[in-house]
């Protein structure tokens, strides 16, 4: 990884951390997020996975349109560094098993 790529990665992680903290303040059952990106093609490859406490929490978040709020918060934060999300994945955690639901 080049120095520029390392700097970009640091800015991206800081931005996502800030967004995650904001989401945790707004959405009660939200747990954490992670990301996957091709550092050589960041503008077209960013995927974000959002984890909820359990399946019921994920269903409630979808019903209450909290998933839309999460997308909005992330999109707004990432726009500040000229990035857009290619794919959002919303996931529920059940007894250390992960149930994946793509919305």
């Amino acid at each position: 990884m080049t120095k520029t790529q390392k700097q970009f990665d640091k800015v991206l992680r800081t931005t996502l951390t800030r967004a995650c903290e904001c989401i945790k303040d707004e959405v009660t059952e939200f747990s954490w997020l992670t990301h996957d990106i091709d550092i050589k093609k960041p503008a077209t490859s960013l995927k974000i996975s959002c984890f909820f406490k359990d399946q019921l929490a994920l269903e409630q978040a979808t019903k209450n349109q909290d998933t839309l709020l999460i997308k909005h918060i992330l999109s707004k934060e990432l726009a500040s560094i000229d990035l857009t999300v290619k794919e959002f994945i919303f996931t529920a955690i059940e007894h250390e098993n992960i149930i994946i639901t793509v919305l």
Side-chain angles (χ1 to χ4, degrees):
M1 197 182 303
T2 67
K3 184 176 180 179
T4 302
Q5 290 170 332
K6 287 179 185 177
Q7 289 172 339
F8 172 77
D9 185 59
K10 183 177 180 180
V11 169
L12 175 59
R13 289 176 189 275
T14 301
T15 302
L16 289 173
T17 299
R18 187 173 52 243
C20 184
E21 293 305 318
C22 182
I23 293 165
K24 286 166 67 175
D25 289 343
E26 296 290 328
V27 182
T28 312
E29 302 294 328
F30 177 81
S31 294
W32 77 87
L33 63 81
T34 188
H35 73 285
D36 183 38
I37 192 167
D38 179 346
I39 203 75
K40 293 179 182 176
K41 299 183 224 171
T44 60
S45 65
L46 180 60
K47 296 178 186 178
I48 297 181
S49 298
C50 300
F51 293 83
F52 287 84
K53 179 179 139 183
D54 55 31
Q55 185 63 31
L56 181 60
L58 175 57
E59 290 169 7
Q60 279 298 115
T62 303
K63 180 181 175 186
N64 296 341
Q65 298 188 340
D66 287 337
T67 53
L68 295 176
L69 175 62
I70 291 168
K71 287 179 181 181
H72 175 75
I73 291 169
L74 285 164
S75 296
K76 183 178 175 183
E77 287 291 332
L78 291 166
S80 71
I81 59 170
D82 296 323
L83 261 185
T84 58
V85 180
K86 177 184 175 187
E87 182 179 4
F88 289 96
I89 300 169
F90 293 93
T91 305
I93 304 164
E94 295 271 354
H95 306 290
E96 299 186 24
N97 294 321
I98 297 177
I99 300 168
I100 297 178
T101 307
V102 178
L103 302 175

